[in-house]
Each structure stands twice: as C-alpha cells, then as structure tokens.
Amino acid sequence: MNQLTQKTCVACRVGAPLATEEETNEFMSQLPNWDIVEENGINRLQRLISFNNFVDAMAFTQKVADLAEDENHHPAVLTEWGKVTVSWWTHKINGLHVNDFILAAKTDQL
Amino acid sequence: MNQLTQKTCVACRVGAPLATEEETNEFMSQLPNWDIVEENGINRLQRLISFNNFVDAMAFTQKVADLAEDENHHPAVLTEWGKVTVSWWTHKINGLHVNDFILAAKTDQL
C-alpha cells in the first residue's frame, strides 16, 4: 500500500506533471472524505469539516495553516461558523500534483 | 457623522430588518474598500486584503476571528497564500443588517 500519510511533499516547479489518472484513482481511494471540485477550470481537492462553533473551526484552520507552513504548500481555507472548507491544488501547474493528495491525507490526520 | 466604528452590534433575531437603501448608501460611503456581492441570492459585504505570504494572511484571519467572537457575529473568511477575503452578512435575515456594516468598518481597523 502506497500510504499517502507516509509521503513528504516534493519541491514542485512550473511544468511538473499533474497526477495521472491511475495515481488519482489510487489516491482518492485513500481519501473517502474528499471530492475533486473544478473551479475556474482547475481541479481542486476539497473537504468540508463540521464543528460545533466558530472557535473550534478557527482552531482547525490554524492547524491546517501550521501544516501548510511545515510542508511549504498552501491551501485555500474557508472558515465559517461551525465549518471549515479546505481546498488543495497546485498553482504552478494549475491542477492536482501528488503533493495535494499527500496534504489532503495529512489534513485528515489533524 | 454616524461613524460605524463607534457603533456596537445589537442582538439580531429572525425577522430583524435588513439595512434600508438609505442606510446602505450612507454606510457604504464609509467603506470604500468593500463591495456588496450577491451569492446564492444573498447580499454579502466583501473585501479582499493582500499580504506578502501565508503566515501574515493567517495572522489577519485570526484577528478577524477574535473580533467576531468579541462581537458574537461571524463572517466567512477565506485564507489563501497572500490574501484573505472577508465576507459579512447575517444568516438570520439572509442579508445585510447594520451589524454587518459595523463589523466591516471594524475589520478595516484591524
């Protein structure tokens, strides 16, 4: 098993390859809570996580931010009362890199 | 002058009045950096603020969250690398209450 949570992000550059269909299928089988959502023609990995109030939602947002800094790869995080929506994608290649799947899996661990 | 930043949010309930057109015009003259954006048929006050990195953006998001808790009125805050988008509206009345304009003005002060 090619465990996403055991992987580390690799440095990504313009021109790096998008995740292949085979990789995407394999990784998504490990990410049952995530959807691939297209926004402005760019695929993003997206998950909504629910909380009991705004403070708990914000605390989770901070954990995601800390993870992002540790891995030097940054998501979009929408914080609202009782919910946080996390979206991972790779600006440099306008789509999903293996890094995005790794960080989705690590978000699940937070 | 009816300074928004001098006002305090009032308790809001289902059935409370939306801001009138006259109030909206007066308040918006004090909020040059904000737009009224319709999403799913509901007006929101929205501003995008730019930063030099993700950490600074996240620090601002935390300040907005602290303000929201102090006032017991909660926005949607989208945190990304180098930018934060803050949206204020009132769920209970599906639109803009005077509280939203007050908190937009207080967001500008952060």
Side-chain angles (χ1 to χ4, degrees), chain A residues 1-10 23 26-27 30 67 71 97-106 109:
Chain A
M1 190 71 175
N2 200 355
Q3 281 291 340
L4 284 170
T5 51
Q6 303 304 314
K7 291 176 182 284
T8 308
C9 285
V10 294
E23 286 173 327
E26 183 194 337
F27 297 153
Q30 295 179 49
L67 170 65
E71 301 276 356
H97 186 272
V98 60
N99 288 348
D100 298 302
F101 296 93
I102 293 169
L103 284 168
K106 291 189 177 182
Q109 290 186 310

Side-chain angles (χ1 to χ4, degrees), chain A residues 78-96:
Chain A
L78 178 63
T79 312
E80 299 174 87
W81 196 98
K83 58 184 175 178
V84 175
T85 307
V86 182
S87 303
W88 292 102
W89 78 100
T90 301
H91 292 74
K92 285 182 181 167
I93 60 172
N94 286 329
L96 295 174

Side-chain angles (χ1 to χ4, degrees), chain A residues 54-55 58 69 74 77 79, chain B residues 54-55 58 69 74 77 79:
Chain A
F54 191 82
V55 168
M58 189 60 209
E69 279 299 302
H74 301 89
V77 189
T79 312
Chain B
F54 191 82
V55 168
M58 189 61 209
E69 280 299 302
H74 299 91
V77 189
T79 312

Side-chain angles (χ1 to χ4, degrees), chain A residues 16-52:
Chain A
L18 293 167
T20 64
E21 189 177 337
E22 190 180 348
E23 286 173 327
T24 299
N25 290 339
E26 183 194 337
F27 297 153
M28 287 304 282
S29 72
Q30 295 179 49
L31 300 168
N33 297 310
W34 294 78
D35 294 310
I36 295 177
V37 176
E38 191 186 308
E39 202 158 312
N40 300 322
I42 296 169
N43 281 342
R44 304 172 167 207
L45 274 172
Q46 196 165 81
R47 179 178 176 184
L48 187 152
I49 304 115
S50 295
F51 298 91
N52 289 324

Side-chain angles (χ1 to χ4, degrees), chain B residues 8-29:
Chain B
T8 308
C9 285
V10 294
C12 189
R13 62 184 199 290
V14 174
L18 292 167
T20 65
E21 188 176 338
E22 189 179 349
E23 287 173 325
T24 298
N25 290 340
E26 182 193 338
F27 297 152
M28 286 304 281
S29 72

